Amino acid sequence: MKLNKFFFGLLMTPAVMMVGCSDYEDTEVASPEADADAIGAYFKSSATSVKLSPEQTSFQVVLNRASFSEAVNVPVKVTANDDNFFSLSAEQFVFDAEKQVSSPITVTFNQSTVELQETYSLGLQVADGVKDHLYGAGYTDAVYSMVIDYTWKSDSLASTMVKDEYAGTLDKEGALAAVEIAKDFEVDEEKPSPDYTKNSLVRISSFFATIGKSKAAGKDHIQFVVDKDHKNPQFLTTDYLANNEISLKVNTTKLATGMTQKFAEEKEYPICMDLVGINVEAATAATAEAKTDNVTYQVTYELYAFDEKADKKYLLSTEDDTVPVEGNTQYKAKFEVKFVKASAE
C-alpha cells in the first residue's frame, strides 16, 4: 500500500508542474521616459555647511542637472534669508551645452553685521520645489549654513587645569580642559606653519561645560590674544579684528553658558557671562632645555540670569526666591597655558 502511494505521487508531480508553467507569460515592460523638456536640476545636498576664514567675504554655490545636452538657464528662488543678510550675484544658474554642472553663483553677505562664530542660513530652491525629471537625483531645495571662524587646534598646546571661583575650585585641583590655538591667526605667508614668536590667539571653548557646570555646550568661549612673549593678554574683540582690517564683530557679552536659572515664579532664564578682564598671574621661567613656556592667566567675568524680553539681569540664586533680584556677580578663573617654544619646533 505504501508503494502505490509513492508511485501515485510521482505521476502527479509533472502534471502539477505543467499546469503551473502554462500560467506564465513572458512580457516586456518598457521603462518610462523623462519628458523631452525635463532638465532635472538639483542640488547635491539638502544641507551644506560652509566654513570661511575671517578674511573671506563670499562663497559659491552650483547646481547640477540630469539632462545636459543643451545650454539652459535655471531660475533660483531664495526661500530663507533673514534681514536680507545674503546677496546672490545672479538670479539664475547658467548651464553651458554638454555641462552637467552650472557656472557658480557667488554669495556675499552683510559685512557690517556679520559676527565671528555665528551661524547664518541661506535657503535656495529651483523648479518650485518639484522635480521635473524621472531620474533626477539630489534635491530641489537646499540650505547653506555659513560660519566664519579660525581653525582651532589643540595638538600643539597641553591640557590645563581650570580653577574657577564659581565652581568652588579656585584653590583646589580644578577641572581638566583642552587649550586650543588658532593655527590660521595672523599666518605669515613665508612661514605657513605656526610661528609662536608672533601674536597667538588662544581659547578654552565652551567654558562652563568644560568645568562641569553645564551639560550643554554654550558659546562661552574664553578666547584671547597674547604677544610674542605670551604676555599682555587681551580678549578677542571687534576692535582688534578691525585693526587687522577684518570686518567682523566679536561678542564678549551675554555669552550663552548652557546653564539656566529657574526662580519660584516658574520663569526660567538663560545664565549668561560677560567677560570683564584677563591678565597674567604668573610666568614660569623657562630653562634652555624646556620645550614650553608656561604662563598662568586669570580671567574675571560676570554671571547673571538674563531676561531678554525685559532686558534685565538677575542675580543667580536658589529656586525658592519669589522675586528675582536685579544685578550680577563677579567671579575669577585661572589656568596655565603651555606654549610650544619657537626654538623647539
Side-chain angles (χ1 to χ4, degrees):
M1 190 68 180
K2 291 181 181 179
L3 186 63
N4 290 339
K5 286 185 177 180
F6 172 76
F7 281 109
F8 180 76
L10 290 178
L11 291 174
M12 286 294 296
T13 301
V16 173
M17 292 178 62
M18 290 179 63
V19 171
C21 291
S22 64
D23 292 339
Y24 175 76
E25 184 177 351
D26 189 8
T27 58
E28 181 177 344
V29 179
S31 299
E33 295 184 1
D35 186 86
D37 297 325
I39 300 170
Y42 66 93
F43 297 99
K44 276 192 172 182
S45 176
S46 61
T48 301
S49 297
V50 179
K51 183 181 179 298
L52 304 181
S53 65
E55 294 80 10
Q56 293 178 286
T57 58
S58 65
F59 63 94
Q60 295 183 325
V61 296
V62 297
L63 194 67
N64 289 258
R65 58 175 175 166
S67 177
F68 48 93
S69 58
E70 300 179 356
V72 68
N73 296 341
V74 178
V76 59
K77 181 191 301 182
V78 177
T79 58
N81 186 13
D82 291 344
D83 299 323
N84 294 317
F85 177 77
F86 291 102
S87 297
L88 276 61
S89 62
E91 296 181 350
Q92 55 187 2
F93 288 99
V94 177
F95 288 93
D96 293 332
E98 306 298 331
K99 296 293 183 181
Q100 186 177 7
V101 182
S102 73
S103 298
I105 288 179
T106 299
V107 180
T108 55
F109 43 87
N110 191 336
Q111 292 293 314
S112 64
T113 63
V114 65
E115 293 186 19
L116 185 75
Q117 298 162 350
E118 186 70 25
T119 301
Y120 300 89
S121 296
L122 171 67
L124 300 178
Q125 183 184 79
V126 294
D128 291 326
V130 180
K131 288 186 177 182
D132 66 347
H133 199 291
L134 291 172
Y135 309 109
Y139 307 86
T140 57
D141 290 75
V143 175
Y144 291 84
S145 299
M146 182 201 78
V147 64
I148 301 177
D149 199 1
Y150 291 98
T151 301
W152 297 93
K153 300 288 185 181
S154 59
D155 57 354
S156 52
L157 297 178
S159 297
T160 184
M161 296 303 295
V162 175
K163 300 178 180 182
D164 178 66
E165 193 172 18
Y166 175 70
T169 60
L170 194 62
D171 299 319
K172 299 177 183 178
E173 185 178 15
L176 187 65
V179 181
E180 301 174 313
I181 189 167
K183 290 294 186 70
D184 48 354
F185 178 76
E186 293 190 347
V187 173
D188 188 335
E189 293 183 358
E190 296 180 358
K191 299 178 181 179
S193 61
D195 181 1
Y196 295 100
T197 65
K198 298 175 58 177
N199 288 6
S200 298
L201 177 58
V202 185
R203 83 170 178 182
I204 296 179
S205 62
S206 196
F207 183 74
F208 289 99
T210 295
I211 64 175
K213 296 298 292 184
S214 172
K215 294 182 179 179
K219 293 186 177 181
D220 48 328
H221 311 312
I222 296 179
Q223 43 197 5
F224 57 98
V225 182
V226 292
D227 62 20
K228 61 177 182 163
D229 297 317
H230 309 137
K231 298 179 180 178
N232 300 313
Q234 59 176 305
F235 293 127
L236 182 64
T237 63
T238 302
D239 290 341
Y240 187 94
L241 292 177
N243 291 335
N244 287 275
E245 300 182 351
I246 298 176
S247 300
L248 287 176
K249 293 183 177 181
V250 180
N251 189 18
T252 56
T253 61
K254 296 184 181 63
L255 296 173
T257 65
M259 302 183 292
T260 59
Q261 170 72 64
K262 188 174 183 179
F263 295 101
E265 61 184 37
E266 296 185 353
K267 286 188 177 180
E268 191 168 358
Y269 303 114
I271 296 177
C272 297
M273 173 174 73
D274 289 353
L275 295 174
V276 176
I278 181 171
N279 57 67
V280 174
E281 185 180 78
T284 303
T287 63
E289 294 79 18
K291 294 184 179 180
T292 60
D293 289 331
N294 304 340
V295 185
T296 299
Y297 297 98
Q298 180 170 282
V299 173
T300 304
Y301 63 89
E302 294 176 343
L303 278 186
Y304 53 89
F306 182 58
D307 182 352
E308 184 176 11
K309 186 176 181 180
D311 193 22
K312 289 184 178 181
K313 300 178 180 179
Y314 298 119
L315 292 174
L316 305 186
S317 188
T318 57
E319 293 185 3
D320 57 3
D321 277 351
T322 304
V323 180
V325 179
E326 290 189 40
N328 51 36
T329 305
Q330 194 170 100
Y331 298 94
K332 295 182 184 298
K334 59 183 178 181
F335 45 84
E336 184 180 70
V337 177
K338 301 178 185 297
F339 291 95
V340 177
K341 294 178 66 175
S343 59
E345 293 182 347

